[in-house]
Amino acid sequence: MGLTIAEKILKNHLVDGEMIKGTEIGIKIDQTLTQDATGTMAYLEFEAMGVDRVKTERSVAYIDHNTLQSGFENADDHRFIGSIAKKHGIYFSRPGNGICHQVHLERFGIPGKTLIGSDSHTPTGGGIGMFACGAGGLDVAVAMGGGTYYITCPEIVNVKLTGKLSSWVSAKDVILEVLRILTVKGGVGKVIEYTGEGIASLSVPERATITNMGAELGATTSIFPSDEVTLEFLKAQGREADWVEIKADSDAVYDSVVEIDLSTLKPAAACPHSPDNIKPIAELAGQKVDQVCIGSCTNSSYMDLMKVATILKGKTCHPDVSLAIAPGSKQVFQMLAENGALADLIASGARILECACGPCIGMGQSPNSKGVSLRTFNRNFEGRSGTADGQIYLVSPETAAVSAITGVFTDPTTYLGEMPEFKLPEQFLIQDNMIEPPATPEQADKVEILRGPNIKPFPVTTPLADSIEAQAVLKVGDNITTDHIMPAGAKILPYRSNIPYLSQFCFAVCDTTFPERALKAEKSIIVGGSNYGQGSSREHAALVPLYLGVKVVLVKSFARIHRSNLINAGILPLTFEHEADYDLIEQGDYLELPNLKDCIVGDKPVVLFDKTKGIEIPVNANLSGRAKDILLAGGLLNYTKQNS
Ligand code: MIC
Ligand code: SF4
């Protein structure tokens, strides 16, 4: 039986388990990346493991999220990460060099290699045929130390692309269509693999837009083959030697197939507040727009911004629209400056931002009250923009640029004639002067680690208790995101290495009284609906509840990365045996899990007793042997120390 692209890479990297779908497998990790908002914690964890030098082929630390320096905190974290990187064999991409996923694709990614990153959009690397996954910081720290990365051996969904995109229809519209079909939970436990004759017409940056937003499907990763198109891209990046061909065998077997004829797609938008709430732009046309933001790791490539510059050339953005543009990398920014496109953007009235995540993570450019904001980003979760009642729509760069001019939702296919041909440059501008190589092993001893006062100790983890009795301090609904659990934004992000401070904002979007109530209860259980923990890879969404005394999270279903983060933090993730039982528990009920440890260790059924209601509810733990050991050790850090 033939193999798919993902299966080939997994097979080459398998170090534990067997390639049986649904079972846990361990893979060797070739490359890692971190960004600063998750990186400070990841490097503290790496330090705690006591490894001198990273054991990966390539590890890179990026600074791209916390670039607003409204106090000393972010600048201190940059220095800390820079010094840690230098000492331990990690390349350091300095602030100003761009968004981790964009830069990694340009300068470091290699087809056929495995990559994990402490950021959920790491699957961007799938655009050049990498098996690239988002992971919690602790998993990345373990991988840097040479440890194995564990995932559930995935089902493979084949998205077969036929035809060619029409003028002004974009890669973003392709992934929005996939999201419409599969929804934000459709990818959980799955890898999305793109094949079909349609892929030949998609350049690497377009493929990367599609794999990037596979994160919004909840997928383990998304991947394209490595073909002639990939070779051309790597050649233009001066990295031809990194190319290898990887394609699925002709008799590869997929678990399911989704067919999309690219020529039938129309410009679309993901409407508030979910990336799968898709409508055609034609249906929204004419509605007023207050803000347009172009950038983020999804749509900030040279190609994207050249399209935007072509549309904006000689025009002025509408008087009622604030237009902000953030190029994805220094390479993109500098090329736009050198070819004059930047002047066209500036002339149109665009507010040019530094190349970083910026507004995507609420670091500035929050829209006005109830403001309608069209963004080329990947997430439109409630409150994420920094404006609680902001109405965020996710669109292509083409739709964004056209609407910035007209001041209303505008379908670019109705506004513009034939699209000029946009070709990748034969040679990108290569100047890696903002990437610091690490110190040599001989010099590493002399490197001093520069720690700021904002770094506070890691919360205390405890081994799984024999029994747990605690109150359901919070009950939430379906599709709770990590932005609900641990919001980000300009006011909070600087405190990513200060869990006690962050804890005040835990679940602030749902219930501002939660932190105080949880601390008072000392021990608590959170009850939730399906796809709990979707979105970001931030382990803070587990570490902060841990600090607040959360012992168990009981839900209908989990998002992959968050479930691992809970286990890594020593919090027990449980699911309802019967989803309807969710309705039986009310917030405030007293719950008991008698003989829990015995049941977990002995693989016996776990029953939850709702003492307030006087009823028994069957629940599932579904833990692999390794996950059990991590919980019994009191989290992954303890487990790793015990086993090294
Ligand atoms: C995001 O897009 O939500 C982030 C910010 O990049 C996160 C990481 C973080 O919370 O630091 C992610 O996607 O993992
Ligand atoms: Fe940065 Fe936004 Fe991409 Fe997250 S989704 S890595 S915040 S640009």
Side-chain angles (χ1 to χ4, degrees), residues 35 64-65 99-101 119-121 212 296-298 356-358 360-361 377-379 384:
Q35 41 91 335
D64 53 3
H65 281 63
I99 306 174
C100 55
H101 310 302
D119 191 282
S120 62
H121 289 102
N212 170 285
S296 93
C297 57
T298 319
C357 300
C360 178
I361 188 60
F377 306 169
N378 49 35
R379 291 192 169 140
R384 180 174 161 105

Side-chain angles (χ1 to χ4, degrees), residues 147-466:
T148 303
Y149 179 57
Y150 286 85
I151 55 170
T152 304
C153 184
E155 280 182 28
I156 318 275
V157 180
N158 180 204
V159 177
K160 218 175 184 170
L161 303 178
T162 57
K164 231 180 144 207
L165 290 173
S166 320
S167 277
W168 304 114
V169 183
S170 193
K172 181 61 149 275
D173 301 310
V174 179
I175 185 62
L176 292 181
E177 175 65 3
V178 180
L179 274 152
R180 188 188 67 76
I181 298 170
L182 295 178
T183 81
V184 289
K185 48 183 183 182
V188 179
K190 297 175 186 164
V191 167
I192 316 291
E193 201 167 298
Y194 291 85
T195 66
E197 101 257 2
I199 60 170
S201 63
L202 297 173
S203 66
V204 162
E206 291 174 301
R207 295 175 180 189
T209 293
I210 295 171
T211 54
N212 170 285
M213 255 189 110
E216 276 53 66
L217 297 163
T220 304
T221 190
S222 300
I223 193 163
F224 274 83
S226 169
D227 55 11
E228 286 295 312
V229 175
T230 324
L231 174 60
E232 238 175 82
F233 175 81
L234 289 173
K235 238 192 220 168
Q237 291 285 354
R239 300 203 291 121
E240 193 178 343
D242 286 342
W243 184 73
V244 283
E245 185 178 42
I246 310 170
K247 54 180 190 192
D249 291 330
S250 54
D251 56 345
V253 180
Y254 291 95
D255 295 288
S256 57
V257 181
V258 174
E259 285 201 36
I260 298 178
D261 177 355
L262 296 175
S263 64
T264 61
L265 296 182
K266 300 264 184 287
C271 304
H273 296 288
S274 181
D276 62 357
N277 186 12
I278 310 296
K279 280 196 185 145
I281 295 291
E283 252 179 54
L284 303 160
Q287 290 182 37
K288 191 175 174 311
V289 171
D290 299 296
Q291 185 193 45
V292 171
C293 295
I294 298 174
S296 93
C297 57
T298 319
N299 278 120
S300 59
S301 67
Y302 176 74
M303 272 259 281
D304 284 330
L305 293 197
M306 282 308 291
K307 287 183 189 171
V308 170
T310 309
I311 297 170
L312 291 174
K313 191 179 170 88
K315 307 267 181 1
T316 302
C317 64
H318 190 276
D320 295 343
V321 175
S322 168
L323 168 64
I325 301 180
S329 68
K330 171 172 162 287
Q331 182 184 75
V332 173
F333 210 171
Q334 203 174 334
M335 285 176 75
L336 296 176
E338 289 185 5
N339 73 12
L342 181 61
D344 296 330
L345 298 176
I346 296 171
S348 74
R351 302 166 65 182
I352 308 294
L353 309 176
E354 68 173 313
C355 41
C357 300
C360 178
I361 188 60
M363 294 300 264
Q365 305 294 324
S366 300
N368 53 285
S369 297
K370 299 203 176 71
V372 171
S373 179
L374 263 61
R375 299 177 162 210
T376 65
F377 306 169
N378 49 35
R379 291 192 169 140
N380 57 348
F381 303 145
E382 202 172 356
R384 180 174 161 105
S385 67
T387 299
D389 55 7
Q391 304 294 308
I392 314 300
Y393 293 78
L394 308 175
V395 298
S396 70
E398 292 87 334
T399 301
V402 171
S403 306
I405 299 168
T406 61
V408 292
F409 278 87
T410 306
D411 180 338
T413 62
T414 61
Y415 177 80
L416 301 157
E418 211 36 39
M419 183 171 74
E421 216 191 326
F422 292 101
K423 278 200 144 186
L424 278 191
E426 269 170 31
Q427 184 70 60
F428 285 98
L429 184 142
I430 297 158
Q431 198 188 59
D432 292 330
N433 57 336
M434 292 294 279
I435 298 173
E436 292 284 313
T440 58
E442 298 72 45
Q443 290 162 346
D445 268 359
K446 297 190 202 89
V447 179
E448 188 198 342
I449 304 294
L450 306 166
R451 261 171 253 274
N454 189 36
I455 294 178
K456 296 284 181 280
F458 195 80
V460 182
T461 54
T462 45
L464 186 69
D466 293 337

